[in-house]
Amino acid sequence: MAAQALALLREVSRLEAPLEELRALQSVLQTVPLSELREQAAELRLGPLFSLLNENHREQTTLCVSILERLLQAVEPVHVARNLRVDLQRGLTHSNDSVKILTLSQVGRIVENSEAVTEILNNAELLKQIVYCIGGDNLSVAKALIVEISSVSPESLNYCTTSGLVTQLLRELTGEDVLVRATCVEMVTSLAYTQHGRQYLSQEGVIDQISNIIVGADSDPFSSFYLPGFVKFFGNLAIMDSPQQICERYPVFVEKVFEMTESQDPTMIGVAVDTIGILGSNVEGKQVLQKTGTRFERLLMKIGYQAKNASTELKIRCLDAISSIFYIPPEQQTDDLLRMTESWFSSLSRDPLELFRGISNQPFPELHCAALKVFTAIANQPWAQKLMFNSPGFVEYVMDRSVEHDKASKDAKYELVKALANSKTVAEIFGNPNYLRLRTYLSEGPYYVKPISTTAVEGAE
């Protein structure tokens, strides 16, 4: 089949108006596995197909785009960057949107590939052309690519800012169109994942502007469109930089997160819970939350309530946030931090351990795994081990392999056993016999099935 496709491709490159051959090639390609095409990648001459795009013939263009979409999947991004540069540049300025989108998707593949992207970055002229070509376009794909290119290095960010493209994106971020604002903040958040990106956003006053928009959100009836994205932006910024510095400099962010947990809107609650999870994922962030005192304890009570009563999706997000907030790596544990997490845990509900056990017994693997993750997060903390040991039936529940039926659940249970078995305090708290049972479970692996003993009975024939 691949041989037939190559023969048709050669035929297409020979003819001036190969409409029939293009139809046949499109049809054949639908039946050729991608693996076969990849084996023949070196033989694929795609230049002629790109050339046919330049003629003003609608059906021919549609066929070529469809064929190129398939064939380019078989070609490595590095090869595309090295050998199809001129074709990509032409495609970016093509009058037909489907050709532009095809080309942009290839630029996207190049940007995401560390080897291929150097082909662009080492060629300043080509990078400039790509940036300026995209700049003439208002497709959201193009904006996302600009952010990807800007994120690669300070140099590539410089090209994108010089071209005015990043400035345009930032204008739209603070503009009047709330839907565009929501899309732009996601892209700006991607830029904030890099050191040079954060530096640029800070220098340009963008972080201050986002903070001011959050301040003004109370009086904007449409704020629910963009507020979740703005709050997520700060959550990610805090964990990338310094939770303490960001929360002290932008108190409105923490204020808004607390406020959102009081909302009746599950979307707002979900974003607030996710953000608390991000913020509390490292020790500095936990200390920032601790400084809010009883407010955070009340917030934990709400998260505990939602974990029990919300929709399945929001329950899982609450459990994931709880796992993140409560986990402390063994080497970072101090008496103060352990006292703090113990106090927090008691704020979640009247009997948090039973709450999570109840959730883990529900017949939904995702919920079961999320509840096991909570147990795993606290499993290396002595206060939690004491709670587990003193909770009737809990140790048996941990050791019982018959509770989990699917792979994800077995893996999650194994992580819990591993966290307990590797803890320095568990032998003393659980007692040696239980400690040895944990070690046995660990050495048998997550999928061990106990053999059923069969005893031969004489005369049973």
Side-chain angles (χ1 to χ4, degrees):
M1 273 306 205
Q4 192 184 346
L6 284 170
L8 281 165
L9 193 57
R10 281 194 290 272
E11 198 67 15
V12 163
S13 62
R14 225 171 31 80
L15 300 168
E16 271 185 37
L19 213 52
E20 285 304 316
E21 289 74 12
L22 286 170
R23 288 183 194 130
L25 179 54
Q26 185 195 31
S27 174
V28 167
L29 283 174
Q30 286 168 355
T31 60
V32 183
L34 207 52
S35 54
E36 278 187 37
L37 289 174
R38 285 199 179 107
E39 285 167 18
Q40 304 291 334
E43 303 299 314
L44 297 174
R45 302 280 173 266
L46 303 182
L49 283 172
F50 275 103
S51 301
L52 290 170
L53 293 171
N54 299 326
E55 295 171 26
N56 197 9
H57 188 302
R58 186 177 287 178
E59 189 190 354
Q60 183 171 289
T61 300
T62 305
L63 285 165
C64 285
V65 167
S66 169
I67 291 163
L68 281 165
E69 273 174 354
R70 183 69 178 158
L71 291 176
L72 284 163
Q73 286 177 39
V75 180
E76 288 297 320
V78 176
H79 178 89
V80 175
R82 281 180 192 153
N83 303 308
L84 298 170
R85 287 178 192 173
V86 178
D87 299 307
L88 291 181
Q89 281 164 239
R90 282 202 204 107
L92 285 166
T93 54
H94 203 282
S95 57
N96 184 306
D97 267 0
S98 67
V99 177
K100 274 185 194 164
I101 289 167
L102 167 77
T103 316
L104 284 168
S105 70
Q106 293 309 309
V107 174
R109 287 180 72 210
I110 291 167
V111 170
E112 284 170 3
N113 181 293
S114 55
E115 194 183 344
V117 79
T118 53
E119 292 290 325
I120 291 182
L121 297 178
N122 291 337
N123 184 327
E125 206 45 50
L126 174 66
L127 177 62
K128 270 187 215 168
Q129 277 182 290
I130 288 176
V131 169
Y132 287 117
C133 288
I134 295 174
D137 205 322
N138 206 26
L139 296 163
S140 61
V141 187
K143 286 183 192 158
L145 269 177
I146 282 298
V147 171
E148 276 189 36
I149 292 171
S150 301
S151 300
V152 172
S153 69
E155 293 74 31
S156 61
L157 172 61
N158 192 33
Y159 286 127
C160 294
T161 49
T162 309
S163 70
L165 294 172
V166 176
T167 320
Q168 184 190 334
L169 181 73
L170 298 180
R171 260 203 312 273
E172 290 178 353
L173 177 69
T174 52
E176 294 304 308
D177 189 326
V178 290
L179 294 174
V180 171
R181 206 183 256 190
T183 314
C184 288
V185 77
E186 277 185 37
M187 296 178 191
V188 171
T189 302
S190 303
L191 191 55
Y193 283 130
T194 64
Q195 179 65 46
H196 66 272
R198 287 196 297 281
Q199 208 173 337
Y200 173 77
L201 293 172
S202 182
Q203 281 166 357
E204 294 298 308
V206 175
I207 302 171
D208 292 338
Q209 284 176 315
I210 292 177
S211 173
N212 291 337
I213 290 171
I214 293 177
V215 172
D218 289 342
S219 56
D220 181 358
F222 300 107
S223 64
S224 61
F225 286 108
Y226 59 82
L227 198 55
F230 279 42
V231 168
K232 274 186 204 166
F233 167 81
F234 267 110
N236 285 299
L237 191 67
I239 212 65
M240 289 283 171
D241 247 334
S242 153
Q244 192 176 337
Q245 280 177 20
I246 294 295
C247 295
E248 281 176 3
R249 187 166 173 192
Y250 303 101
V252 65
F253 155 60
V254 183
E255 194 57 46
K256 187 53 74 176
V257 172
F258 276 91
E259 205 180 285
M260 283 164 77
T261 58
E262 309 270 358
S263 170
Q264 298 303 308
D265 179 354
T267 307
M268 292 295 183
I269 298 170
V271 170
V273 164
D274 294 346
T275 307
I276 291 287
I278 291 168
L279 203 52
S281 63
N282 68 18
V283 168
E284 189 184 322
K286 292 184 209 303
Q287 287 164 335
V288 166
L289 294 171
Q290 173 70 350
K291 279 182 189 166
T292 64
T294 53
R295 285 192 77 187
F296 186 58
E297 286 170 12
R298 286 199 301 275
L299 185 144
L300 283 170
M301 199 161 69
K302 289 193 189 77
I303 293 180
Y305 176 83
Q306 296 291 352
K308 186 181 179 183
N309 300 297
S311 66
T312 301
E313 190 237 353
L314 186 50
K315 279 179 183 170
I316 291 167
R317 287 166 80 174
C318 287
L319 293 167
D320 285 347
I322 291 166
S323 302
S324 174
I325 294 163
F326 280 89
Y327 177 68
I328 310 174
E331 67 279 5
Q332 293 185 347
Q333 288 179 12
T334 62
D335 289 346
D336 282 351
L337 285 174
L338 290 169
R339 270 195 297 274
M340 180 185 81
T341 50
E342 183 175 8
S343 161
W344 285 359
F345 197 70
S346 64
S347 300
L348 287 164
S349 83
R350 231 179 250 135
D351 188 346
L353 212 62
E354 268 314 297
L355 165 70
F356 299 127
R357 247 176 98 177
I359 294 170
S360 79
N361 288 332
Q362 292 177 19
F364 303 105
E366 295 95 335
L367 272 178
H368 181 69
C369 291
L372 285 173
K373 258 175 74 181
V374 172
F375 295 139
T376 308
I378 57 174
N380 65 15
Q381 301 178 41
W383 62 263
Q385 291 170 6
K386 285 173 190 160
L387 270 184
M388 290 174 183
F389 182 68
N390 293 322
S391 174
F394 193 90
V395 175
E396 291 310 316
Y397 162 78
V398 173
M399 306 292 187
D400 185 359
R401 288 181 180 271
S402 68
V403 180
E404 285 75 32
H405 303 292
D406 58 285
K407 182 182 182 298
S409 299
K410 288 175 195 287
D411 287 341
K413 172 66 81 69
Y414 189 71
E415 288 304 313
L416 169 57
V417 170
K418 194 198 304 183
L420 285 167
N422 289 337
S423 161
K424 290 190 172 78
T425 52
V426 80
E428 185 191 334
I429 293 167
F430 272 36
N432 272 328
N434 285 323
Y435 173 65
L436 292 172
R437 288 169 73 195
L438 286 167
R439 298 302 313 178
T440 304
Y441 191 125
L442 197 62
S443 63
E444 287 169 349
Y447 316 117
Y448 175 77
V449 180
K450 197 174 181 180
I452 300 163
S453 58
T454 50
T455 312
V457 179
E458 261 188 87
E461 297 303 308

